Amino acid sequence: MIDDATVRHVARLARLHLDDDEEHRMKEELSTILDHVDAIQALDLDDVPPTTHVLALENVMRDDVPHPSLSADEALREAPEVVEQRFAVPRFEP
Amino acid sequence: MTALHERTARDLVRALHAGEVGAAELVDAHLARAEDDRWGSFLAIDAERARARAAEIDAMPERPPLGGVPIAIKDALSTRDLTTTAGSRILEGFRPLYTATCVERLERAGAIVIGKTNMDEFAMGSSTENSAFQPTRNPWDPGRVPGGSSGGSAAAVAAFQAPWALGSDTGGSIRQPAALCGIVGMKPTYGAVSRYGLIAFASSLDQVGPFTRTVGDAALLLSHIVGRDERDSTSLDWPEPVAVPSAEDLRGLTFGVVGELMGEGVEPGVRAAVEAAVARVEELGGSVREVSLPSSAYGVSTYYLIAPAECSANLARFDGIRYGPRHEDAADLLEHYERTRGDGFGPEVKRRVMLGTFALASGYYDAYYLRAQKVRTLIRRDFDAAFAETDFLLSPTSPTVAFRFGERIEDPLSMYLSDVCTIPVSLAGLPAISIPCGLSEGLPVGLQIAGPAFSENRLLDVAHALEGALAFAPAPPGVA
C-alpha cells in the first residue's frame, strides 16, 4: 500500500537518509503498520471533534520579564563546529 | 538489620534525619551496586559529583527534606554538565546546559543523582533493546528484557542499585517496565510534572513519574516533583499536596475491571494474577463490576499515528548544527541534515519519524493524523463514561510477563502491541499506577489502576491498601 516513491518522498520530507536496504525494509514495515492502524478508517467520525488538549486548559500567559540567558560561549559549548562565535554550517545554495 | 540498599526511600529519609546514617554512606552503598554492571541499567554514573554532594549535605546544620537519599534518573532528563543522550548516538557525549525542572526540584530537596539510566532511543520502544548503547537485563531473569522505554530505571530500582528513580511515560514507558520488573511505577495526570528539560518524544502525551519499590515511596517522590513551572506552559497548579498514603481498606469505592483488557492476547498467567488481585479488592471492601472501553480497541492504532507525528516534529531539532555529532562529508546543507540524521538515528526512531512524517504529509493528514485525533476524543469519552459509574479502573499493565531478548525486536507491530493496556490511559491524559500483584512462570505481573484526572491522592491510597493485602515481596531471586 506504500510504494518506493512514497518512501523516498517521505524520507526527503523528514530530512532522513536511508540506504537501499533501509528503504526496502521501511516500505515493508510501514505497510504492515499502516495496515494495522487503518482499522480507524472504518469508524464514523463525522460528528466527533479532534482532541487538541486532554484537559480544558485556558491559554496560559506569564508576565514578560527579562531573565538572564546563556552567554554566547555557553550556548556554543556543545556545537560540533564554531567559527567566529557562530554555529558553522556546510555551504548551501539557495 | 536490612542492608542499606534494600531499604525503602522513606525509611532512608527517616534514618538520615534521625542521624542513624549519613548521605556519604548511603551514596557509597548504592554506587557500589550501580557500578556492578550485570544488568546494564546505567549509561552514566557520576560518583564524584554524588560523593561531593553527599559530603555537602552531611555538613549542613539542618538536612533538606529528602536528607541526601540517592536517586537514578532516566537519560531522557537533562542534567547540567552530566552526559544526557536519550539512548541515542545523535546525542552521544552531549552535556546539557541546564537541568530539568523535576530533577532540579529533587536536588534542591536533598536527593542525590547517582547516574543516568538506559532507555530505548528517544523513549521509543517497550524493551530497552532500542538503546543505541547497550541492552538492559531484567533482574528477575537476565535472558529477558526489563520492558521499556524506561528499562534502565526499572532494572536499577528492582536490582537495589537505587532506592528509587525517575522515568518518563508516553504510552506506558513507566508502567510497563515497572510491571515487568516487579516494582511500582506511576504516570501522573498529564501536566502534573513539568516537562522542561525532558527530551521531547510526543508532547501531548509525555509525563515524568516515579519508579519505586513501595507505593509510599512513589507518593513521596511525586510530592516533590508536581506543580506549575513557568517554563512548561502545560504544567498545572497542583490542586492539593500529594499525601503519603495510609488507607487500609477500600470500603465505599467502586472498581471497574476493563473487559477489553482481560480477554484475547492476555497471557493466562497474567489474567490469573490480576483476577486474584481483583478478589483482594473485594476482600478489602471495594465493589467490583465489569466495564467496557469500546474505543480502546483502537488505542494502539491511534497512538501509533499521534505519537510518531509529534515525534517527527520534535526530532527535527537533531540536525548536527548546535550539538551532537555531525556527518563530516556532506556536500551541502540538505545532505548534511539527511546524512547526520541517517547516521545518528537507530532503526526504530527512523521508522517513527517516517510514520509520523507520512501521517502529517499533505494528502494523508486528514485520513491519518486528523482521524486519529478524533478517535482520541472517543477514547476520552469512554473513560468519562466509565468514571461516571466507577471510581477506579483495573486491568493488567502488560498483557505478558517479561519477554526474551530478540523475541519482538524484528517485528515492530508485535512490540507496539505490548502497550495495549497502557496506551488508552495515556491518550486520555489520566493518572495510573502499576503495582506488582503476583508471579506468572516466576516472573512479575503488574496490576494497572487508573483514575480520573487529578485523583493521584486517592489512587495512591487505593494502591497502598492493595499493596498491603497483596504482600508481594519485591526482591528478584538472587539479586539482594
Side-chain angles (χ1 to χ4, degrees), chain B residues 167-180:
Chain B
S168 63
D169 189 313
T170 305
S173 284
I174 293 174
R175 291 160 285 161
Q176 186 257 18
L180 269 44

Side-chain angles (χ1 to χ4, degrees), chain B residues 23-391:
Chain B
E25 194 185 341
L26 267 191
V27 162
D28 281 343
H30 287 95
L31 278 175
R33 292 190 66 86
E35 283 164 350
D36 170 353
D37 206 26
R38 255 184 294 172
W39 300 286
S41 325
F42 287 88
L43 288 175
I45 291 177
D46 194 350
E48 198 179 322
R49 188 159 77 162
R51 289 197 171 102
R53 183 66 185 145
E56 228 173 80
I57 291 178
D58 282 340
M60 287 179 180
E62 195 181 334
R63 282 187 187 276
L66 292 175
V69 69
I71 189 164
I73 304 289
K74 185 180 187 180
D75 207 34
L77 287 159
S78 298
T79 43
R80 188 181 166 91
D81 297 333
L82 175 55
T83 51
T84 299
T85 66
S88 183
R89 292 264 172 232
I90 213 162
L91 280 174
E92 195 162 9
F94 173 64
R95 292 174 308 140
L97 297 163
Y98 61 89
T99 297
T101 299
C102 57
V103 178
E104 198 176 73
R105 285 181 180 175
L106 286 168
E107 288 186 316
R108 208 179 301 137
I112 299 175
V113 175
I114 56 169
K116 306 296 292 291
T117 56
N118 196 24
M119 57 185 284
D120 284 302
E121 185 177 3
F122 287 109
M124 297 172 195
S126 310
S127 67
T128 311
E129 289 167 288
N130 293 328
S131 165
F133 303 108
Q134 64 196 36
T136 294
R137 300 184 178 282
N138 191 313
W140 289 80
D141 176 350
R144 292 175 189 262
V145 302
S149 67
S150 315
S153 283
V157 173
F160 301 97
Q161 297 176 300
W164 53 11
L166 281 185
S168 63
D169 189 313
T170 305
S173 284
I174 293 174
R175 291 160 285 161
Q176 186 257 18
L180 269 44
C181 290
I183 59 171
V184 176
M186 187 176 192
K187 183 199 93 73
T189 303
Y190 179 77
V193 182
S194 167
R195 293 180 293 109
Y196 182 77
L198 172 67
I199 295 172
F201 162 16
S203 302
S204 77
L205 295 154
D206 296 342
Q207 260 300 284
V208 174
F211 281 100
T212 58
R213 291 192 295 266
T214 65
V215 175
D217 278 2
L220 180 61
L221 187 45
L222 188 65
S223 73
H224 284 278
I225 57 176
V226 295
R228 173 114 182 88
D229 172 16
E230 73 165 29
R231 294 174 293 188
D232 173 3
S233 63
T234 61
S235 65
L236 303 165
D237 276 320
W238 204 239
E240 55 182 1
V242 177
V244 170
S246 58
E248 286 173 7
D249 66 65
L250 301 173
R251 280 196 289 267
L253 295 172
T254 306
F255 293 81
V257 177
V258 183
E260 288 86 354
L261 300 178
M262 291 293 278
E264 203 190 332
V266 177
E267 284 178 355
V270 169
R271 193 180 310 131
V274 170
E275 279 168 355
V278 172
R280 294 284 98 75
V281 168
E282 287 183 302
E283 283 166 26
L284 289 169
S287 63
V288 174
R289 67 174 73 164
E290 186 172 316
V291 297
S292 174
L293 299 173
S295 300
S296 64
Y298 301 100
V300 171
S301 297
T302 304
Y303 177 86
Y304 278 97
L305 290 166
I306 293 173
E310 293 181 16
C311 102
S312 72
N314 276 326
L315 269 55
R317 69 184 57 136
F318 299 103
D319 58 7
I321 304 276
R322 288 152 301 154
Y323 41 74
R326 61 163 53 171
H327 184 85
E328 297 291 348
D329 310 316
D332 60 25
L333 190 63
L334 183 60
E335 194 189 341
H336 163 91
Y337 291 146
E338 291 177 340
R339 292 279 180 172
T340 293
R341 292 160 61 79
D343 294 350
F345 291 147
E348 182 60 29
V349 173
K350 288 179 182 171
R351 210 174 286 134
R352 302 238 192 149
V353 166
M354 288 288 292
L355 190 55
T357 305
F358 174 83
L360 291 174
S362 172
Y364 301 103
Y365 178 93
D366 286 353
Y368 289 101
Y369 185 71
L370 186 63
R371 284 188 80 81
Q373 291 289 25
K374 290 181 172 187
V375 183
R376 190 174 187 179
T377 302
L378 295 182
I379 290 169
R380 289 167 54 216
R381 287 178 182 168
D382 281 359
F383 278 100
D384 289 344
F387 286 127
E389 53 184 60
T390 59
D391 297 296

